[in-house]
Amino acid sequence: MADPSLFWLAGAVLLVTAGVATSLLPHRRAHAEQRRTAWSAARAAIDSAAVSRDAAPDRVPEAERLLTRAESLAGARGGVDAARAAAEHARQADRLWREHR
């Protein structure tokens, strides 16, 4: 017959593992959703800036530099902070092209 304390130990390990899993899974899902949302916004801002670039009558070097930086960040596929930075660069480029019209 097996030692009863072994069963208690296995039960405790199982309970701790279940507790950790139920705590981490929602956090990971929320983080993944936040990352997808940030990259979606960044891609939309980059697309909007590209349309403004195509509609601009003249070149705007600063805006082109900002858009290139945003596209570079998007290509690297970083985290939420990189997505927010890419979106901000793209919005600034878009604003510059709109002001230049």
Side-chain angles (χ1 to χ4, degrees), residues 5-16:
S5 61
L6 196 59
F7 290 113
W8 283 102
L9 179 63
V13 168
L14 184 64
L15 282 175
V16 168

Side-chain angles (χ1 to χ4, degrees), residues 44-60 63 67 90-101:
I46 290 169
D47 289 344
S48 178
V51 169
S52 293
R53 176 196 60 205
D54 294 342
D58 298 322
R59 291 184 66 230
V60 181
L67 183 58
R91 285 187 200 107
Q92 288 175 358
D94 189 32
R95 182 182 46 80
L96 288 172
W97 273 309
R98 288 176 189 262
E99 288 174 357
H100 198 281
R101 283 190 208 166

Side-chain angles (χ1 to χ4, degrees), residues 23-62:
S23 297
L24 288 181
L25 284 178
H27 176 71
R28 284 186 171 217
R29 284 185 183 151
H31 182 68
E33 179 69 23
Q34 185 179 23
R35 185 171 186 259
R36 283 192 305 271
T37 303
W39 277 113
S40 177
R43 283 190 299 275
I46 290 169
D47 289 344
S48 178
V51 169
S52 293
R53 176 196 60 205
D54 294 342
D58 298 322
R59 291 184 66 230
V60 181
E62 178 64 17

